[in-house]
Amino acid sequence: MDEMHSISVTEKLLPYEDFSYKKDLLRKYADYIGKCDKDFFSLVNNIFVDEEEKGEIVDEMILKTKQLEVWNTNLLMDVNFRIGQVVNRFNDQVDEMKQQRITITYENILVFE
């Protein structure tokens, strides 16, 4: 009597590759954005505060600039935190794509002599 059988396995087609080095690269860009922000806020401070500008408009611009500075700082902190999570998830996704589920179906033939 002939019988059909199937075997399913997961086969790794390519070796694991670690993309952790991307964290440093992305953080470098985030740091550069932070430096640009710092330069901008320093320039605003030099124009309005150091030159002792006065008035309601100036006060409002200083307030809005300080709020923007806090918001940007918090955003960059969040970005730096999430970079690690995103790269780790990327590692996992790439590793999963390097695997293939294979099903082998064969017929077991019994031969009687």
Side-chain angles (χ1 to χ4, degrees):
M1 174 183 334
D2 300 338
E3 295 179 27
M4 297 296 287
H5 297 281
S6 290
I7 297 173
S8 293
V9 294
T10 300
E11 190 65 31
K12 189 174 266 302
L13 303 174
L14 296 170
Y16 176 79
E17 184 179 350
D18 186 13
F19 292 97
S20 293
Y21 67 94
K22 299 259 185 208
K23 293 176 189 177
D24 294 334
L25 182 63
L26 292 169
R27 286 191 177 115
K28 184 177 104 177
Y29 290 125
D31 290 345
Y32 178 73
I33 292 170
K35 182 191 172 304
C36 290
D37 278 355
K38 188 179 253 185
D39 292 346
F40 172 75
F41 296 124
S42 178
L43 181 63
V44 169
N45 192 47
N46 289 342
I47 292 171
F48 293 114
V49 177
D50 291 348
E51 295 185 16
E52 299 180 17
E53 297 291 331
K54 303 275 188 236
E56 288 180 37
I57 294 175
V58 171
D59 292 343
E60 189 64 25
M61 288 180 73
I62 291 171
L63 175 66
K64 292 295 183 187
T65 303
K66 294 246 183 254
Q67 289 172 344
L68 182 62
E69 184 176 14
V70 168
W71 188 80
N72 285 359
T73 301
N74 290 338
L75 184 60
L76 282 172
M77 286 173 45
D78 188 51
V79 165
N80 275 314
F81 174 74
R82 288 180 187 263
I83 283 172
Q85 294 176 327
V86 168
V87 171
N88 289 342
R89 222 173 307 134
F90 179 74
N91 268 340
D92 293 342
Q93 289 173 348
V94 169
D95 196 45
E96 283 180 28
M97 289 190 302
K98 292 180 178 183
Q99 297 178 32
Q100 179 68 49
R101 185 106 175 124
I102 300 170
T103 301
I104 301 169
T105 303
Y106 63 94
E107 184 177 8
N108 190 7
I109 301 174
L110 295 174
V111 180
F112 296 103
E113 292 186 27

